[in-house]
Amino acid sequence: MIEHSVADAPAAGARSASPAHVAALIAELRRAYPDATCALTHQDPFQLLVATILSAQCTDARVNMVTPVLFAAYADAAAMSRASQEELEGIIRSTGFYRNKAKSIRAASARIVDAFGGRVPRTMEELLTLPGVARKTANVVLGAGYGIAVGVVVDTHVDRLAHRLGLSDGKNPEAIEQDLMRVVPREDWIDLSHLLIFHGRQVCQARKPECGSCPVAALCPSAPYYLAGKEPPARGSKAMARERAARKGGTKKPPVKKKPHVKKTAVKKTAVTKKPAATKKAKKK
């Protein structure tokens, strides 16, 4: 049973969560999702790296359907670097954006072989030198692949829940990550992203959060608003603005009706014939 109440929680979107509040929140999420872990199926850091690149704009379930075939054909960085663009595209096509993903995977694999002896590097700085790898992907590999807590993975679920739970008012993933790193103990950074992702998928969805059955509703500053059928105060990120619009079924301004364009027809000017000058009457002799 949660002893805290929403009165103890920070205002929605604020960064004022106390250490005790954060600890209670994480404890309740762990009780609710004891098996929360990385949803991407992998056997080693290299497979995790490739799977994370494939997961961009794609569901983890879809990626997990593709990677067994992919890794059966190309088991490591050396083999993957030798794969042709066409062969790779054919295997990963269903994950979307397959051309760019294939290029990134081949180039990252080649760099791992050339610069790191075929092993995925273990530092943020080195991982960021790999093509197709940004901070989110690097955090996934370091956290889930090596157990190294350098930062917090911020995907769409973590973005949404960090704002709803009052842990961040950041307007982009980098700012949200910094907020979470400030309020959450380092030893919880890796677990936090898994817990929030599980909770976001199962209960706290974007369109309709199930606050009535939420295990952390008493710790959530947004829950009273949703339960009352209202929107919480505006939160910072663009993702939250898109979520708000989606729940309202789209809030775009109606298009302005333009007046039909009437093509002007050129009026031909008719030549005006000048009247002949009046002749002077002959003078009388």
Side-chain angles (χ1 to χ4, degrees):
M1 189 73 178
I2 301 176
E3 296 178 358
H4 289 66
S5 68
V6 74
D8 302 318
R15 290 181 298 173
S16 56
S18 68
H21 179 81
V22 171
L25 180 64
I26 294 174
E28 290 301 324
L29 288 172
R30 281 196 173 116
R31 265 191 284 273
Y33 311 105
D35 300 324
T37 186
C38 180
L40 294 170
T41 303
H42 63 280
Q43 300 297 323
D44 55 49
F46 175 70
Q47 290 188 1
L48 179 58
L49 171 67
V50 172
T52 307
I53 292 174
L54 291 176
S55 69
Q57 302 297 315
C58 180
T59 65
D60 291 348
R62 169 57 58 181
V63 173
N64 289 339
M65 293 172 62
V66 169
T67 49
V69 177
L70 178 62
F71 298 141
Y74 310 106
D76 54 26
M80 194 75 76
S81 66
R82 293 192 296 267
S84 72
Q85 180 73 15
E86 293 74 19
E87 289 172 336
L88 208 51
E89 287 180 5
I91 297 173
I92 69 172
R93 181 180 294 267
S94 64
T95 67
F97 302 97
Y98 57 92
R99 290 192 179 91
N100 286 337
K101 289 179 181 180
K103 288 179 182 177
S104 295
I105 290 170
R106 293 175 67 238
S109 299
R111 177 158 177 78
I112 289 170
V113 172
D114 295 339
F116 303 106
R119 294 180 61 84
V120 176
R122 299 169 62 95
T123 69
M124 175 65 72
E125 294 72 22
E126 290 173 327
L127 281 167
L128 292 178
T129 67
L130 302 179
V133 175
R135 187 172 177 90
K136 173 191 165 185
T137 299
N139 272 327
V140 172
V141 172
L142 290 171
Y146 287 123
I148 300 172
V150 174
V152 179
V153 175
V154 178
D155 71 347
T156 55
H157 298 290
V158 176
D159 179 324
R160 179 173 71 254
L161 269 66
H163 287 90
R164 285 181 176 176
L165 292 168
L167 302 177
S168 172
D169 58 6
K171 296 183 179 180
N172 55 60
E174 293 77 17
I176 295 167
E177 182 184 9
Q178 292 301 313
D179 287 347
L180 294 175
M181 290 166 67
R182 276 190 286 270
V183 300
V184 177
R186 190 185 190 103
E187 61 267 23
D188 295 322
W189 288 356
I190 297 173
D191 283 353
L192 177 68
S193 60
H194 299 322
L195 292 168
L196 293 182
I197 289 169
F198 267 58
H199 187 54
R201 285 175 175 161
Q202 297 184 34
V203 177
C204 198
Q205 296 96 350
R207 284 182 175 271
K208 188 179 179 182
E210 302 294 335
C211 298
S213 59
C214 176
V216 294
L219 295 165
C220 177
S222 300
Y225 294 94
Y226 288 125
L227 289 169
K230 299 178 181 179
E231 287 284 340
R235 278 92 65 205
S237 74
K238 292 180 181 178
M240 296 305 293
R242 289 195 297 269
E243 173 209 323
R244 184 184 292 265
R247 282 200 309 277
K248 290 183 177 180
T251 55
K252 293 183 179 179
K253 294 180 180 179
V256 178
K257 292 183 179 179
K258 294 182 180 179
K259 293 181 179 180
H261 178 69
V262 179
K263 188 176 181 181
K264 294 181 180 179
T265 55
V267 180
K268 292 183 179 180
K269 292 182 179 180
T270 55
V272 179
T273 55
K274 292 182 179 180
K275 293 181 179 180
T279 55
K280 291 181 180 180
K281 293 182 178 180
K283 293 180 180 180
K284 292 181 179 180
K285 291 183 179 179

